Amino acid sequence: MSSPPIEKALRTIEAEENPTKSENQAGSEPARQKWYEWFAPTDTPAERRLILKLDGLIIVFVFLAHWAKVLDSSATSTAYVSGMKEDLKLYGNQLNYLQTVYMVGFITMQIPLTLLMTRCPVNYFLPAADLLWGVFTLAQYKASNVTQLYALRFFVGALGGFFFPAVQWYLGSWYKRSELSRRGAIFFIASQVGSMSSGYIQAGAYARLNGRYGVEGWRWLYIICFACTIPIAFLGLCVLPSTPDKCNSRFLTVDEVRLAQERMASENREARQPFTKSRVLQILKGWRLWILVAFAFFFSQADGVSSNSGLPIWLKQEGYSVESINTLTTVSPAVTIVASVICGVLADVYDAKASLIAATAALNIFACIVLAIWNVPVGLKFFAFFLSGTANGIAAIIYAWANEICAHSAEERALVISAMNTIGNTFGAWIPLFVWKTVDAPRYLIGYNWTIALDVCMLVVLAVLCQFWAREKKRSHA
């Protein structure tokens, strides 16, 4: 249950985000559709055609590209146990080192590449990065020693790591705040679909292609990742529009580009400006960067129950078959998909971002309390494990909110969104080593209590964020 300060903050932000019709002007609350409607009641026929075009040109590509990247993230672990270890003579902690090198590229290049993208035509930058990512992924199949793999994994991490924050920024350049959460949810669930399908794809590929044309099965995994990526990258090169301020899409008319610019102007969403020293200093001095990054830190670590191996290890201890374990563990990502869709729709329809975040944190706290107690009925334990899958369901609305809060500056949006994701991944790379220790499995007592603390802290930062945002909106309406 939310504490009084948090409830007060939520009431404040809801009051600020629902002005009367007389206040409904540029930058104020837009008219919103019902949950089952795709368009707002005020959308003109021309706007509806534009929105459908954008969904077909942008959302389809980013969903497929995100799905393809998840295949690679699991390919190395699968390849390791499918013959790569013996072929390349990988021993000791070299698999961990490969993951570490990947994360170094992933983390260190997120902010620089996201900011670089704001200086370039996005419709070429994103697909070109995907093409290079596919080439480096394919090159791994030719690796003859671990040193080559280290170099390749760094570039794969660098070229894939910035994709998530870059797409969040890109979506914020085209869609209104009443449209962003659902599109962000569709983009986000691609990772869950990828995690559910990657095991089946890789297992089938290994079983059918091992030894084909003299190529070992583990090498085929990288070839398949490449084969999935390249067509998607070319699709992006063909269909993606750049940003409305500098758009030369063959699929959007001049009138549609002008309409897109007007839509963004009505949201106070500014076009790209020169990235000067004074602008950087202004961003660093503002509250948005620091509070949103702090919020992202607590959110990014709070999915520990679903991202660690407590459920499958517990099921194995209970004597479940391998088939049952593989089936039951797909429930958590399925819950995440459902939660993401529900949160995305409700956030767009009711602008209930703060309430949804608070409710999700409360559900995760309940699940972790049950798991920390541990000695509970089996049905309740299953329920807690599955309920924890909702923790990631708010990812889309958090980044949609960041797009809205930083709408006045394209450069600040890029810096804040990439910093939020970078901080989350940086701490997520090493904190689990101390909190989610394998020796504690499946009753990760430290991990479950750590997650409770994270969610409580997230609620506190949420209250602070609501207060700052409400104050800023009041100033803008004054």
Side-chain angles (χ1 to χ4, degrees):
M1 184 177 293
S2 301
S3 63
I6 295 171
E7 291 174 350
K8 181 180 178 182
L10 295 180
R11 287 195 298 270
T12 301
I13 194 68
E14 287 167 0
E16 289 296 326
E17 291 183 346
N18 290 280
T20 62
K21 289 183 179 179
S22 63
E23 295 172 316
N24 192 17
Q25 54 192 359
S28 64
E29 179 67 11
R32 294 179 182 272
Q33 63 273 44
K34 294 181 173 61
W35 68 268
Y36 54 84
E37 295 177 329
W38 196 246
F39 306 105
T42 55
D43 287 340
T44 65
E47 278 188 280
R48 297 185 179 198
R49 286 193 297 271
L50 173 63
I51 292 168
L52 287 177
K53 274 191 177 183
L54 294 176
D55 291 342
L57 298 174
I58 297 174
I59 302 302
V60 171
F61 166 77
V62 298
F63 181 93
L64 293 174
H66 200 191
W67 169 80
K69 283 176 173 53
V70 175
L71 293 183
D72 173 77
S73 65
S74 59
T76 297
S77 296
T78 304
Y80 182 81
V81 298
S82 302
M84 184 173 72
K85 175 183 177 181
E86 293 75 17
D87 287 352
L88 301 188
K89 298 180 173 58
L90 304 182
Y91 301 108
N93 292 319
Q94 288 179 322
L95 178 61
N96 292 335
Y97 297 154
L98 284 171
Q99 181 63 15
T100 300
V101 170
Y102 172 86
M103 289 305 298
V104 168
F106 192 98
I107 292 169
T108 58
M109 298 306 295
Q110 271 192 4
I111 294 177
L113 288 177
T114 303
L115 296 181
L116 177 61
M117 188 190 70
T118 67
R119 306 296 95 197
C120 303
V122 182
N123 54 322
Y124 297 130
F125 193 92
L126 275 178
D130 249 22
L131 283 172
L132 288 174
W133 179 82
V135 170
F136 280 106
T137 298
L138 176 66
Q140 293 173 97
Y141 108 93
K142 292 292 290 183
S144 57
N145 57 66
V146 71
T147 303
Q148 295 173 359
L149 272 183
Y150 287 147
L152 293 170
R153 293 303 293 170
F154 173 85
F155 286 106
V156 169
L159 291 165
F162 85 100
F163 184 76
F164 183 84
V167 168
Q168 297 291 347
W169 178 87
Y170 182 43
L171 295 178
S173 299
W174 281 102
Y175 290 102
K176 289 184 175 182
R177 61 188 128 150
S178 59
E179 302 161 350
L180 262 177
S181 295
R182 275 172 298 172
R183 274 74 182 184
I186 293 171
F187 168 62
F188 176 77
I189 64 177
S191 63
Q192 306 301 312
V193 174
S195 67
M196 294 173 69
S197 62
S198 61
Y200 299 108
I201 293 173
Q202 291 166 356
Y206 182 84
R208 291 171 174 78
L209 296 174
N210 186 27
R212 182 73 61 90
Y213 305 115
V215 178
E216 295 91 340
W218 70 267
R219 298 183 189 272
W220 275 108
L221 298 179
Y222 293 114
I223 297 173
I224 289 171
C225 288
F226 170 81
C228 292
T229 300
I230 297 305
I232 296 171
F234 277 111
L235 173 67
L237 284 172
C238 294
V239 305
L240 278 188
S242 186
T243 49
D245 55 320
K246 296 179 181 179
C247 184
N248 57 354
S249 172
R250 73 188 70 179
F251 296 100
L252 299 177
T253 66
V254 173
D255 289 338
E256 286 171 333
V257 172
R258 187 181 301 113
L259 176 59
Q261 293 170 347
E262 292 170 355
R263 280 163 45 87
M264 293 300 96
S266 72
E267 298 274 300
N268 289 336
R269 202 81 52 80
E270 288 192 2
R272 291 177 284 184
Q273 302 293 332
F275 215 131
T276 61
K277 180 180 179 181
S278 61
R279 182 172 290 269
V280 173
L281 291 175
Q282 184 181 9
I283 294 172
L284 293 177
K285 290 178 181 177
W287 63 268
R288 302 175 194 83
L289 174 65
W290 305 108
I291 293 181
L292 285 169
V293 167
F295 187 81
F297 164 75
F298 293 115
F299 158 72
S300 64
Q301 309 305 312
D303 68 340
V305 177
S306 57
S307 62
N308 286 280
S309 54
L311 176 59
I313 293 176
W314 173 63
L315 292 173
K316 185 175 181 179
Q317 284 187 354
E318 294 295 308
Y320 285 80
S321 66
V322 173
E323 292 78 9
S324 296
I325 293 173
N326 289 336
T327 301
L328 289 170
T329 51
T330 62
V331 174
S332 289
V335 170
T336 301
I337 291 173
V338 173
S340 297
V341 172
I342 292 174
C343 286
V345 170
L346 294 180
D348 278 350
V349 172
Y350 300 108
D351 196 20
K353 298 181 185 71
S355 300
L356 288 167
I357 292 169
T360 300
L363 292 176
N364 205 31
I365 289 172
F366 172 78
C368 289
I369 289 175
V370 170
L371 294 173
I373 296 171
W374 194 252
N375 294 317
V376 297
V378 171
L380 181 58
K381 192 176 294 185
F382 268 116
F383 178 74
F385 272 120
F386 296 151
L387 184 64
S388 66
T390 62
N392 266 332
I394 55 175
I397 64 176
I398 288 174
Y399 285 94
W401 203 3
N403 265 308
E404 179 182 346
I405 290 172
C406 302
H408 67 286
S409 169
E411 291 69 37
E412 184 173 42
R413 283 196 298 118
L415 180 58
V416 169
I417 290 173
S418 57
M420 289 168 65
N421 200 52
T422 298
I423 290 297
N425 283 292
T426 300
F427 284 92
W430 61 270
I431 283 181
L433 300 176
F434 300 95
V435 176
W436 302 93
K437 296 180 179 179
T438 304
V439 294
D440 295 335
R443 188 187 180 184
Y444 292 106
L445 185 59
I446 297 175
Y448 300 140
N449 283 291
W450 166 248
T451 304
I452 293 170
L454 287 170
D455 279 308
V456 171
C457 291
M458 186 169 72
L459 289 171
V460 173
V461 178
L462 175 64
V464 175
L465 174 60
C466 288
Q467 293 284 3
F468 272 89
W469 182 223
R471 186 179 66 183
E472 181 159 315
K473 294 188 74 175
K474 186 179 295 185
R475 286 176 180 172
S476 66
H477 291 306

